[in-house]
Amino acid sequence: MAKPDIQQVKQRFGIIGNSPDLNRAIDIALQVAPTDMSVLVTGESGVGKESFPQIIHQFSHRKHGTYIAVNCGSIPEGTIDSELFGHEKGSFTGATGERKGYFEVANGGTLFLDEVGELPLSTQARLLRVLETGEFIKVGSSKVEKTDVRVVAATNLDMITATRNGKFREDLYYRLNTVPIRMPALRERKDDIPLLFRKFASDCAEKYSMPPISLTDGARQMLKDYYWPGNIRQLKNITEQISIIEQTREITSEILKLYLPANEVGLVPVGTINSSEQKSFNNEREILYQVLFDMKKDMNDLKKIVHDIVAGNLKASDIVSPVMDKHEKALTPVVVSSTSERSAHMPVKDEVRTIIPTSGIAEADVIETPEYEEETLSLQDVEKDMIIKALERHNGKRKNAAQDLKISERTLYRKIKEYNLEDL
């Protein structure tokens, strides 16, 4: 059977956009559709993952069979096994009769398991058996039953992390992930954003019998620069809000700004973060940086002393014993100004004389040391260097780099733009 044209598939399933990543995802779905391989669709919430199981089903030999979509995250843990595999009468409280599960009902068809990462571990074991052998057992039964179901799963979780944390079975992950399809986030499809906005505005205008709204050039650019944490779902909601509320049909950037939630956590538009927010994006990390800087300063002081000893600038006769406070009985470092006329309480800004602790000499001499230039490294330099190294480690994959740095993708994208690292 000839593979259908991607544009025809988009029209049939209402998919808007010309992003290469989007076209690639659709192409993979069309290639895998004639087979019986399991497919795992990944992507953030709201990107439109639910379209791909339908594409796979409609272009497979199972298209005349049953198609069932199951949201695994919305089913209580105590009833998920019964929903998927069925139960016998009296198998648990409330089981007043026999019930067929989705795997039995969808026999010969396709079962779409949305939010598959939310399945409890006990259910994951039963699901793995169905995928490997086509066999399952109803709750409260001992009879093994057979089914022939094509499973397409979807999740917005990082499944690699979930498997490492023991929240998802590794063997089930690889069984579901026979063919992976990644749906790109809306911010990765900037040129598609105005197209989607126009489509949603047109649909809303037709539904409520009103003229469609349009965007000025400034508003269009603002729309493309926004981060869109809610992806297509959020864009549709905002488009419908503007269509209903605004009286003017031409939307400027000033009007659009009122609808982009810039003051909510995780919903900050790109390019609108002030400098104070940039410096405090992660307080724990800044504390760590400060500790590292203090350690670096101590190491530089130690290097200077060692250098002076090796160079012969510091002799044994120049080394003095520590000053012991008679009351505290503790070692006390002493710093004396090189200018004798200065008061002991005045701040020292010029060359300093240091008493270096050792043993064997009765009186303390004051020695001069040359001014030492410490290598300086700002917080921004360290931050930029860490981002560059993380991107290099992950071959430019920003999602993986963000996970490595323990920051959100939003923060990483903002920092990349701030330090002009877009080419990495």
Side-chain angles (χ1 to χ4, degrees):
M1 182 175 65
K3 188 177 72 173
D5 182 69
I6 291 180
Q7 293 301 325
Q8 294 177 351
V9 173
K10 290 180 183 178
Q11 293 176 3
R12 178 173 175 180
F13 292 92
I15 300 175
I16 307 296
N18 298 305
S19 164
D21 291 338
L22 175 63
N23 291 339
R24 171 64 176 167
I26 296 173
D27 184 62
I28 293 175
L30 293 175
Q31 292 187 60
V32 75
T35 72
D36 280 330
M37 293 182 178
S38 299
V39 178
L40 180 62
V41 185
T42 58
E44 297 179 7
S45 178
V47 296
K49 299 185 293 292
E50 63 278 355
S51 298
F52 287 87
Q54 298 180 37
I55 293 174
I56 293 171
H57 177 72
Q58 291 299 324
F59 290 98
S60 71
H61 63 275
R62 300 174 180 269
K63 62 182 178 180
H64 299 298
T66 303
Y67 173 84
I68 299 178
V70 182
N71 189 320
C72 301
S74 64
I75 303 175
E77 182 175 346
T79 61
I80 185 67
D81 286 353
S82 173
E83 294 285 334
L84 293 176
F85 309 107
H87 64 255
E88 295 289 344
K89 180 179 179 180
S91 56
F92 56 86
T93 303
T96 57
E98 181 182 352
R99 183 188 185 280
K100 292 184 178 181
Y102 296 129
F103 274 96
E104 186 175 357
V105 176
N107 189 20
T110 303
L111 187 60
F112 171 40
L113 300 179
D114 196 9
E115 297 186 30
V116 70
E118 304 297 331
L119 286 175
L121 289 173
S122 58
T123 306
Q124 293 177 28
R126 299 172 72 114
L127 176 59
L128 179 63
R129 181 182 181 187
V130 177
L131 293 175
E132 291 182 339
T133 66
E135 299 177 346
F136 68 96
I137 300 176
K138 290 183 178 181
V139 176
S141 174
S142 58
K143 179 182 178 182
V144 176
E145 302 193 34
K146 299 282 291 185
T147 186
D148 177 22
V149 174
R150 166 75 167 283
V151 173
V152 180
T155 182
N156 58 4
L157 298 180
D158 182 347
M159 298 299 282
I160 298 296
T161 302
T163 56
R164 288 175 181 170
N165 295 338
K167 296 181 179 180
F168 200 85
R169 293 178 61 106
E170 186 175 5
D171 47 5
L172 177 58
Y173 165 69
Y174 289 114
R175 187 64 181 81
L176 289 171
N177 199 40
T178 305
V179 178
I181 296 178
R182 178 186 174 274
M183 184 63 179
L186 186 57
R187 59 184 165 276
E188 300 172 17
R189 306 166 47 194
K190 290 185 179 294
D191 292 336
D192 293 343
I193 294 175
L195 301 177
L196 289 161
F197 182 91
R198 187 164 63 242
K199 174 65 166 62
F200 297 145
S202 177
D203 290 347
C204 188
E206 182 179 351
K207 181 177 181 180
Y208 296 106
S209 301
M210 61 175 65
I213 58 175
S214 60
L215 297 169
T216 63
D217 291 340
R220 187 177 297 104
Q221 187 61 44
M222 178 179 289
L223 208 68
K224 293 170 69 174
D225 289 341
Y226 187 66
Y227 189 74
W228 297 112
N231 293 290
I232 298 174
R233 186 182 297 120
Q234 184 187 9
L235 175 60
K236 182 179 180 181
N237 290 344
I238 289 178
T239 305
E240 292 177 346
Q241 289 178 35
I242 299 174
S243 298
I244 298 300
I245 297 174
E246 292 299 325
Q247 298 299 317
T248 177
R249 297 289 90 184
E250 185 177 53
I251 307 303
T252 64
S253 57
E254 289 73 19
I255 296 175
L256 182 60
K257 193 181 300 182
L258 300 175
Y259 294 88
L260 298 181
N263 60 340
E264 295 183 19
V265 176
L267 304 180
V268 182
V270 175
T272 62
I273 310 299
N274 59 43
S275 58
S276 62
E277 290 173 326
Q278 290 175 351
K279 292 180 181 179
S280 61
F281 78 98
N282 193 321
N283 291 331
E284 292 183 1
R285 181 167 281 103
E286 288 195 1
I287 293 172
L288 177 60
Y289 287 161
Q290 187 60 52
V291 172
L292 292 174
F293 293 154
D294 291 342
M295 292 176 62
K296 179 178 176 63
K297 184 177 183 302
D298 293 340
M299 288 298 298
N300 285 333
D301 291 341
L302 182 59
K303 288 179 182 177
K304 180 178 73 67
I305 295 173
V306 173
H307 178 270
D308 288 345
I309 294 175
V310 173
N313 297 329
L314 192 62
K315 300 179 180 179
S317 59
D318 297 326
I319 304 176
V320 299
S321 60
V323 178
M324 180 72 73
D325 183 87
K326 63 177 67 177
H327 301 290
E328 306 247 340
K329 301 297 181 183
L331 296 178
T332 307
V334 178
V335 179
V336 182
S337 172
S338 61
T339 306
S340 59
E341 292 79 14
R342 288 181 180 168
S343 168
H345 300 288
M346 293 179 62
V348 179
K349 294 184 179 179
D350 298 329
E351 185 184 45
V352 299
R353 299 174 185 264
T354 308
I355 294 179
I356 302 177
T358 186
S359 59
I361 298 180
E363 295 183 0
D365 291 330
V366 179
I367 64 170
E368 274 191 44
T369 60
E371 187 175 357
Y372 183 75
E373 293 293 334
E374 179 185 348
E375 180 184 357
T376 60
L377 195 63
S378 68
L379 173 61
Q380 286 75 18
D381 292 335
V382 175
E383 186 177 288
K384 180 178 178 181
D385 186 60
M386 290 181 67
I387 291 174
I388 292 174
K389 289 180 178 179
L391 289 170
E392 289 175 350
R393 279 197 301 271
H394 298 283
N395 298 320
K397 295 182 179 178
R398 297 180 179 182
K399 179 177 181 181
N400 296 339
Q403 293 171 355
D404 192 6
L405 293 168
K406 300 297 187 295
I407 60 176
S408 66
E409 284 189 64
R410 173 181 67 84
T411 299
L412 178 59
Y413 274 81
R414 171 159 53 80
K415 291 297 177 182
I416 288 175
K417 186 174 182 180
E418 176 186 346
Y419 295 128
N420 297 319
L421 302 177
E422 290 88 347
D423 296 334
L424 292 181

